[in-house]
Amino acid sequence: MSDIPIYGLDKELADKAQSKYDPKREAEAREWIEAVVGEPFASNNFQESLKDGVLLAKLALKVIPGTTFKPNVSKMPFKQMENINYFLQALDKVGVPKQEQFQTIDLFEGKNMNQVVDSIFSLSRHAVKAGFTGPLLGPKLHDKREMHFSDEQLKQGKNIIGLQMGYAGGANASGVSFGSRREIGGRDPNAR
């Protein structure tokens, strides 16, 4: 994060995002990236090591089939952001949903590192589903399971009334009277 102090609502939002950050998940993501790429992180700081996008580009080249871009090792910020953008385009190729991807600024300025870690977990799941044979990070994506019913089974299902329709067992119309006064407190003992 930058050294500029933040106040008010921005501070509250930053504190809330920081409270959700899980260093264990970061460590798992770091280990997975190092295992797949085959080289260690440049520093102990997760964000600083990924900020230039080179390690992410190498990760995409190993994990995502059909990825062909060459990482730019320049120290110029726009080139580093370009590397990150190429990585995000590669995430699209493997099928990582947009809502599970981080934005370039999230990593480059360290604004939302939790989303960066989540994106790496998502990349692992989707890459394994697409045919990557390396290690899996986090839970496996579910496989589609289609159910087929015969016409006889479908007909039997139409005869079943589910409990979502409500339960009316024991209901009757006793105590219902039409046209008479409603007695709330009972009958008046003095009435004739």
Side-chain angles (χ1 to χ4, degrees):
M1 299 226 24
S2 65
D3 295 330
I4 300 171
I6 53 176
Y7 303 100
L9 182 60
D10 289 337
K11 174 115 174 78
E12 290 176 23
L13 292 172
D15 291 344
K16 185 177 180 180
Q18 186 61 31
S19 70
K20 291 180 180 180
Y21 193 72
D22 187 0
K24 291 178 185 174
R25 283 176 50 89
E26 176 192 296
E28 289 176 31
R30 174 191 294 262
E31 290 171 10
W32 183 75
I33 292 170
E34 288 176 343
V36 171
V37 174
E39 64 182 70
F41 272 47
S43 73
N44 287 335
N45 186 323
F46 188 74
Q47 188 256 340
E48 285 296 322
S49 296
L50 297 178
K51 180 180 175 177
D52 63 0
V54 173
L55 200 55
L56 291 175
K58 291 178 181 178
L59 177 65
L61 290 169
K62 295 261 185 178
V63 171
I64 302 168
T67 308
T68 57
F69 65 88
K70 184 178 182 211
N72 193 327
V73 292
S74 173
K75 296 293 179 196
M76 298 177 74
F78 73 92
K79 289 292 187 183
Q80 294 175 345
M81 292 174 98
E82 194 174 79
N83 286 340
I84 296 170
N85 193 37
Y86 284 138
F87 174 75
L88 293 173
Q89 289 173 2
L91 291 182
D92 285 334
K93 283 184 185 176
V94 82
V96 175
K98 284 286 188 191
Q99 68 268 19
E100 294 182 12
Q101 296 180 20
F102 63 91
Q103 295 179 356
T104 305
I105 201 96
D106 292 339
L107 173 59
F108 193 76
E109 292 185 5
K111 290 194 179 248
N112 192 353
M113 291 305 296
N114 199 31
Q115 187 65 35
V116 174
V117 172
D118 288 347
S119 295
I120 293 168
F121 271 76
S122 185
L123 166 63
S124 172
R125 288 191 301 270
H126 287 86
V128 166
K129 187 166 184 163
F132 175 64
T133 57
L136 173 66
L137 178 63
K140 180 183 167 216
L141 274 179
H142 69 85
D143 294 324
K144 187 174 182 180
R145 182 174 171 221
E146 292 187 27
M147 301 292 290
H148 299 284
F149 297 101
S150 68
D151 288 336
E152 181 63 31
Q153 289 172 318
L154 291 173
K155 286 179 187 174
Q156 287 176 347
K158 289 180 182 179
N159 297 329
I160 298 173
I161 297 175
L163 288 178
Q164 72 267 19
M165 301 293 191
Y167 176 70
N172 60 31
S174 66
V176 176
S177 59
F178 293 100
S180 64
R181 272 184 17 188
R182 186 172 170 204
E183 300 293 334
I184 296 176
R187 291 200 159 262
D188 184 6
N190 297 329
R192 292 188 196 210

